[in-house]
C-alpha cells in the first residue's frame, strides 16, 4: 500500500451498554459513544467509484453498536479492545484496513465530582 494512510472517520456512534465495575452500571446501563478512524487506501474506490473497494462506514457503525451492546465488561478498556478486534475481523481483507484509532466515551461514569467525559483512546495496527 506504499504507506498511504487515508482516513475514514465516524464519530458519535451511541448505544446503551452495561459496562462498569459497579452492579448498578451492569443492571441499569448507560449511554456509551464510540468514535472510530479507519486507515486505508481510498484510491482504488475513488478511481472506480465502487463501494466494494472501500471500507463501508454503514457496516462499521453496525459492528460498533453490536459491541457496545455486548458484554457486560467491567472496563471500558475491554470494550475498546473488543470493538477494535471486531472491526478488524469484519474487514478481514488485510490489504484494505491497515490500522484504526478508537475512542470510547463514558460520559455518565460514576465520578463524584463534576466532569464532562471519560475516554479511552487506542491505536491498533492490523494483527
Amino acid at each position: 500500500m506504499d504507506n498511504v494512510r487515508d482516513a475514514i472517520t465516524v464519530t458519535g456512534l451511541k448505544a446503551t451498554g452495561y459496562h462498569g465495575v459497579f452492579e448498578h452500571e451492569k443492571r441499569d446501563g448507560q449511554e456509551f459513544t464510540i468514535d472510530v478512524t479507519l486507515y486505508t487506501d481510498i484510491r482504488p474506490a475513488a478511481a472506480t467509484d465502487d463501494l466494494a473497494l472501500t471500507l463501508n462506514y454503514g457496516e462499521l457503525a453496525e459492528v460498533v453498536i453490536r459491541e457496545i451492546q455486548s458484554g457486560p465488561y467491567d472496563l471500558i478498556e475491554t470494550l475498546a479492545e473488543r470493538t477494535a478486534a471486531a472491526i478488524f475481523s469484519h474487514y478481514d481483507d488485510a490489504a484494505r484496513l491497515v490500522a484504526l484509532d478508537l475512542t470510547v466515551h463514558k460520559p455518565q461514569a460514576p465520578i463524584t465530582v463534576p466532569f464532562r467525559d471519560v475516554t479511552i483512546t487506542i491505536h491498533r495496527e492490523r494483527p
Side-chain angles (χ1 to χ4, degrees), residues 79-125:
L79 176 59
E81 287 291 342
R82 300 276 172 97
T83 304
I87 293 167
F88 278 117
S89 178
H90 180 77
Y91 297 111
D92 60 3
D93 179 353
R96 291 198 307 169
L97 175 58
V98 297
L100 63 79
D101 294 327
L102 185 145
T103 300
V104 175
H105 299 261
K106 187 176 179 180
Q108 299 165 338
I111 297 174
T112 60
V113 298
F115 74 102
R116 184 181 315 167
D117 200 2
V118 172
T119 66
I120 297 291
T121 300
I122 63 173
H123 173 84
R124 297 293 176 264
E125 306 280 328

Side-chain angles (χ1 to χ4, degrees), residues 56-97:
N56 183 323
Y57 50 78
E59 293 174 3
L60 169 66
E62 292 173 10
V63 170
V64 169
I65 296 302
R66 271 195 307 270
E67 290 304 312
I68 292 172
Q69 295 172 335
S70 69
Y73 310 121
D74 285 347
L75 304 177
I76 59 175
E77 290 87 341
T78 304
L79 176 59
E81 287 291 342
R82 300 276 172 97
T83 304
I87 293 167
F88 278 117
S89 178
H90 180 77
Y91 297 111
D92 60 3
D93 179 353
R96 291 198 307 169
L97 175 58

